[in-house]
Amino acid sequence: RMSRHAKKLRDHDINPCLAETDATTKCMNDNNYNKDMCTDYFLKYKNCRRFWHGIMMQRKRNGVKPEMPSAEERKKILESMG
């Protein structure tokens, strides 16, 4: 059974970097937990977190709720950026 925290991390509306999380985990599993083999995955994850954290902080400053856009909203934001 998953904890409430673990469930939240698996929720696309809460965790904008689920794909990057999964790709990093898979890389680590496939490479016997050798971090050096997965540098690109860690970087993509870090960039994803940084990007959505910035969006979240901007929305917080502007009083927009919820602070983290839903999965559908995020898709539109990314599409609008090209």
Side-chain angles (χ1 to χ4, degrees), residues 2-82:
M2 270 200 284
S3 71
R4 195 175 312 152
H5 180 69
K7 274 194 185 108
K8 277 173 101 174
L9 293 178
R10 300 300 309 160
D11 185 334
H12 281 280
D13 281 327
I14 294 169
N15 182 357
C17 302
L18 201 50
E20 291 79 0
T21 303
D22 291 345
T24 304
T25 303
K26 183 181 182 323
C27 180
M28 289 293 282
N29 288 337
D30 293 350
N31 291 288
N32 205 25
Y33 295 89
N34 178 350
K35 281 186 175 173
D36 297 337
M37 300 291 288
C38 302
T39 310
D40 288 350
Y41 292 97
F42 284 114
L43 196 59
K44 282 180 187 155
Y45 173 77
K46 198 168 138 187
N47 289 339
C48 178
R49 296 294 305 171
R50 186 179 297 138
F51 176 80
W52 290 112
H53 180 75
I55 299 275
M56 202 170 80
M57 296 317 290
Q58 187 64 51
R59 286 168 66 103
K60 194 175 193 170
R61 277 192 296 273
N62 296 342
V64 179
K65 296 276 183 195
E67 288 158 7
M68 178 55 73
S70 68
E72 195 54 44
E73 257 186 290
R74 290 195 308 265
K75 192 176 161 194
K76 288 177 183 152
I77 290 169
L78 292 174
E79 284 169 358
S80 76
M81 296 172 70

